[in-house]
Amino acid sequence: MPDCDFFSWRRETLDAFQSITEACEVTTTVHRYTQSLEFDYFAFCVRHPVPFTRPKMSVFSSYPQAWLEHYQAENYFAIDPVLKPVNFMRGFLPWNDHLFVDTPALWDAARDHGLRQGITQCVMSPSRAAGLLSVSRSSLKGKLLPDDELNARLQYVAELSLMTLTRLADPSVDGLTMKLSKRELEILQWTGEGKTSAEVAMILSISENTVNFHQKNMQKKFNAPNKTQIACYAAAIGII
């Protein structure tokens, strides 16, 4: 476990992440800090809010290759409770039987691969992407830091990981971004309120044809089939 107080550790950790110049260094740095917290492995997943059915995800990991291949082959991404918003929005998420009550095969497989104790910590970026830092270890022996301090340290490592990838403009943090005009944003906001094109036209004192013209342009920008999906995507990524 770290042998320095939290604030000294925090300063040293910040310096380490600020010195990173390439994205590949994030993996080695996170691994070093999670090992100092008595964990054998880590996975840092950047999960974007859209597309809704197949959200973009990128993973940086030190997990055993056999486990990564098994996880992918079994499509555990689709059922992993750690990835459910209702769970990861809790922030500090210890792995236990209750968490995996609906996915016992996943929990059994993880332990068979040596992942017998774990925690997932979630942080959010301004673009609404979730940074999920999962740490695990093979042994149940050995004392970990108290939950509140472990929570604070894992949260800070996750935040710095996300910030560093953003600073380096790594593709993993590139989400759906849109450049909208002031008029497009106004129309989008009222569309999000459930207003029809005719109602938006009346509110903004413009023609319905103008409203439809801007909505068609936004559909192209979002690669969306209709105005409803535009509003849903915009809300998901924080534009409205």
Side-chain angles (χ1 to χ4, degrees):
M1 289 186 287
D3 55 3
C4 59
D5 67 272
F6 176 77
F7 293 103
S8 296
W9 175 89
R10 192 177 189 274
R11 286 192 296 271
E12 194 271 335
T13 306
L14 176 61
D15 289 342
F17 276 89
Q18 286 182 332
S19 69
I20 292 176
T21 58
E22 296 182 12
C24 61
E25 298 174 53
V26 173
T27 298
T28 56
T29 303
V30 176
H31 193 197
R32 175 158 53 92
Y33 279 95
T34 53
Q35 280 187 318
S36 74
L37 295 173
E38 304 295 330
F39 292 97
D40 301 314
Y41 312 110
F42 87 92
F44 185 68
C45 174
V46 181
R47 185 179 191 271
H48 293 268
V50 294
F52 297 128
T53 52
R54 289 189 176 184
K56 175 186 172 183
M57 287 192 289
S58 300
V59 179
F60 303 81
S61 174
S62 67
Y63 279 115
Q65 188 62 32
W67 168 242
L68 295 176
E69 291 174 357
H70 181 73
Y71 189 97
Q72 185 174 11
E74 296 296 325
N75 193 29
Y76 284 147
F77 275 117
I79 64 169
D80 194 339
V82 166
L83 298 176
K84 292 182 178 180
V86 68
N87 286 326
F88 70 64
M89 288 301 290
R90 288 161 53 187
F92 186 75
L93 187 66
W95 300 358
N96 51 41
D97 292 341
H98 177 71
L99 177 64
F100 293 95
V101 65
D102 295 322
T103 55
L106 168 55
W107 189 212
D108 288 343
R111 287 178 289 190
D112 288 343
H113 283 80
L115 314 179
R116 296 184 177 86
Q117 185 176 21
I119 295 168
T120 297
Q121 180 76 52
C122 178
V123 296
M124 302 295 289
S125 74
S127 65
R128 305 290 178 87
L132 298 130
L133 175 61
S134 292
V135 294
S136 62
R137 60 184 192 157
S138 300
S139 176
L140 297 177
K141 298 179 180 179
K143 188 176 181 181
L144 297 174
L145 289 169
D147 281 355
D148 55 350
E149 185 172 352
L150 190 55
N151 180 3
R153 295 191 188 227
L154 289 175
Q155 180 178 344
Y156 195 54
V157 171
E159 288 174 349
L160 289 176
S161 299
L162 204 54
M163 290 169 56
T164 302
L165 292 170
T166 302
R167 171 172 60 82
L168 297 174
D170 188 76
S172 65
V173 294
D174 288 341
L176 180 64
T177 57
M178 289 294 127
K179 291 184 178 180
L180 301 177
S181 67
K182 180 180 178 182
R183 180 63 79 192
E184 286 174 336
L185 185 57
E186 289 175 332
I187 292 171
L188 185 57
Q189 288 171 330
W190 285 113
T191 301
E193 292 285 356
K195 302 298 184 182
T196 65
S197 296
E199 290 171 329
V200 174
M202 291 182 62
I203 292 169
L204 298 179
S205 299
I206 56 179
S207 72
E208 187 174 351
N209 284 339
T210 299
V211 173
N212 291 332
F213 170 78
H214 285 299
Q215 286 178 336
K216 289 293 184 183
N217 280 342
M218 287 188 285
Q219 282 180 230
K220 293 178 182 177
K221 290 181 179 181
F222 279 87
N223 191 27
N226 54 58
K227 65 181 183 181
T228 300
Q229 190 177 48
I230 295 171
C232 290
Y233 275 16
I237 65 177
I239 292 179
I240 60 174

